[in-house]
Amino acid sequence: MTLNIPGTETGLTPEWLTSALRASSTIGHETVVAAVETEPVGNDMGFFSQLSRLRLDYEGPQNGAPLKMIAKLSAASPELRQRPNTVGRYESEVRFYQHLAGQTTLPVPACYYADIEIESGYHVLLLEDLAPAQPGSKHAGATAEQAELAVTSIAAFHAIWWESPRMAELEWLVDPSFDHDELVEAHAGWWPEFLRKAGHQLPDEMIALGERLGHYRAELFEKLWFTAPRTLTHADYSLGNMLFASPDSGRPFTVIDWQSVSRRRGTWDVAWFFSQNMEPNRRAAIEMDLLERYVEILADNGVRGYDFDQCHHDYKLCLLHRFGSLISTIAAMPFTPDQIQMHIDVLLPRNIAAILDNDAASLLD
């Protein structure tokens, strides 16, 4: 039976939830959702999705039926919801939970139901509520302990998918398309607006890098997405998408939000985490040691021919690509003013510091 997918939390009725949870065998056919209480969950993910916490009451045998869960629905805005890139993000996460979540070494939430209507852009996920575990603080940045947990965990995940032919079987995993001339032209348009908003954050060497980066963005795309070695990446591997146990209880570490899962260089996840989620001095103190540990874990799990020098080279490529993404995001992305300011005041300075500390711009000489 195909269920209609709710557009808002008001569609998450007891009747609909009963059908969905029965369809996934989360509850038996003698169990009925008698009542549901919904509460919006506010965080940065609200731009692309609507999140609600559900509390459920049942009639009939419960047999471990979940009493609470997180519902993730498509964006309320039709214009945003029906963009091809947005629908692709929704489908990636639905397919991940349908087909891959059970195979990952990373701890992820249990999924009680997942579905998507490609034509309308509506999707729904009913996921395990892991409270009291909480996401890390992007503003404060990751602790050394959180960084070690994040890097060692993603290394083991990358090793499983490293150059795996199974990635080609994932037809829903669509590689991005790009055109060199279009990227050069787009960068030239973004750059002045970016400078207007965030130029005060840039030292002279970063202004020089930004002015010539447009000619290299297609090359970075090609190397990171389409040349070996590739693996399966989370691609938004940030503190906001990681849940950590509270001082009292909760699962120690869980990775959420798989909308960006994709094939590319594994160092993308590591570079994203370090250069966007750590205060620069704290990152610099542990960065090289954890990159070495990342390579060691890959080797321990069967990856051959990938040494530290290659890893560091790929890491620097990812730092440069992220700078390009920040330019376009700050210049043109329709985020809220607070979200844009977060990019300007926190994320951009961290990326700049990582580029300078690693002499990443030398790759373009």
Side-chain angles (χ1 to χ4, degrees):
M1 179 181 65
T2 301
L3 298 178
N4 291 327
I5 297 179
T8 67
E9 68 175 27
T10 59
L12 299 169
T13 63
E15 294 76 17
W16 188 91
L17 289 164
T18 297
S19 297
L21 296 177
R22 284 178 178 175
S24 63
S25 300
T26 301
I27 61 175
H29 286 280
E30 296 180 353
T31 305
V32 175
V33 178
V36 58
E37 180 182 323
T38 63
E39 172 192 353
V41 178
N43 62 19
D44 291 341
M45 292 165 57
F47 183 75
F48 283 107
S49 302
Q50 302 173 75
L51 293 175
S52 298
R53 173 170 282 110
L54 312 184
R55 294 178 175 84
L56 285 67
D57 290 323
Y58 296 93
E59 293 178 355
Q62 295 188 21
N63 298 325
L67 299 178
K68 59 179 183 175
M69 62 185 65
I70 298 295
K72 188 172 185 179
L73 303 176
S74 300
S77 163
E79 293 79 14
L80 177 59
R81 185 178 64 248
Q82 294 175 352
R83 289 180 186 174
N85 288 347
T86 305
V87 175
R89 291 166 63 96
Y90 296 156
E91 183 176 15
S92 292
E93 187 164 34
V94 167
R95 304 305 178 211
F96 172 83
Y97 279 107
Q98 289 177 334
H99 304 298
L100 300 183
Q103 304 174 37
T104 176
T105 58
L106 284 171
V108 300
C111 182
Y112 307 125
Y113 187 76
D115 198 9
I116 185 169
E117 295 172 353
I118 301 297
E119 296 78 10
S120 67
Y122 285 120
H123 84 300
V124 59
L125 293 165
L126 301 180
L127 300 171
E128 179 183 10
D129 184 354
L130 293 165
Q134 293 290 326
S137 170
K138 272 191 177 183
H139 282 88
T143 65
E145 293 76 16
Q146 289 173 333
E148 181 176 7
L149 187 56
V151 172
T152 56
S153 297
I154 203 65
F157 175 77
H158 287 166
I160 291 175
W161 290 96
W162 199 267
E163 285 296 292
S164 171
R166 290 187 296 156
M167 290 192 293
E169 300 170 3
L170 306 176
E171 297 179 357
W172 49 270
L173 207 61
V174 180
D175 295 322
S177 60
F178 64 93
D179 178 89
H180 177 272
D181 292 340
E182 289 180 359
L183 276 175
V184 171
E185 182 179 354
H187 184 88
W190 292 324
W191 180 245
E193 180 63 11
F194 169 80
L195 282 180
R196 185 185 69 81
K197 292 181 178 178
H200 62 282
Q201 293 283 19
L202 272 63
D204 291 344
E205 55 264 55
M206 292 302 298
I207 293 177
L209 172 60
E211 288 175 345
R212 62 194 182 111
L213 186 62
H215 294 282
Y216 293 93
R217 289 188 69 169
E219 182 180 343
L220 292 172
F221 252 112
E222 179 69 28
K223 288 182 177 178
L224 296 176
W225 267 268
F226 297 100
T227 64
R230 296 197 304 172
T231 186
L232 201 64
T233 61
H234 181 278
D236 191 8
Y237 201 57
S238 63
L239 284 172
N241 293 329
M242 300 172 183
L243 300 178
F244 299 92
S246 72
D248 300 323
S249 62
R251 188 181 298 170
F253 180 63
T254 307
V255 181
I256 62 173
D257 193 353
W258 289 85
Q259 289 187 350
S260 299
V261 60
S262 56
R263 294 171 287 231
R264 65 182 90 182
R265 297 283 176 99
T267 44
W268 178 273
D269 285 334
V270 184
W272 186 278
F273 181 83
F274 276 140
S275 74
Q276 299 294 270
N277 295 273
M278 294 200 76
E279 186 275 331
N281 290 335
R282 191 179 299 159
R283 168 192 50 75
I286 63 174
E287 183 178 35
M288 292 300 107
D289 288 342
L290 282 180
L291 280 178
E292 289 181 352
R293 181 70 182 125
Y294 175 80
V295 174
E296 290 172 358
I297 293 172
L298 292 178
D300 290 345
N301 286 274
V303 173
R304 298 291 177 260
Y306 193 73
D307 60 19
F308 176 81
D309 288 342
Q310 182 64 55
C311 176
H312 195 209
H313 176 272
D314 292 347
Y315 178 76
K316 290 188 280 189
L317 290 177
C318 294
L319 295 177
L320 293 173
H321 187 279
R322 180 56 184 157
F323 181 51
S325 296
L326 285 166
I327 291 170
S328 53
T329 296
I330 291 170
M333 194 70 174
F335 283 152
T336 67
D338 286 346
Q339 288 170 324
I340 290 295
Q341 208 59 46
M342 172 72 174
H343 281 72
I344 294 173
D345 293 341
V346 179
L347 303 185
L348 178 62
R350 289 175 180 174
N351 174 256
I352 290 171
I355 287 174
L356 296 177
D357 288 348
N358 287 275
D359 192 24
S362 65
L363 297 185
L364 306 184
D365 294 337

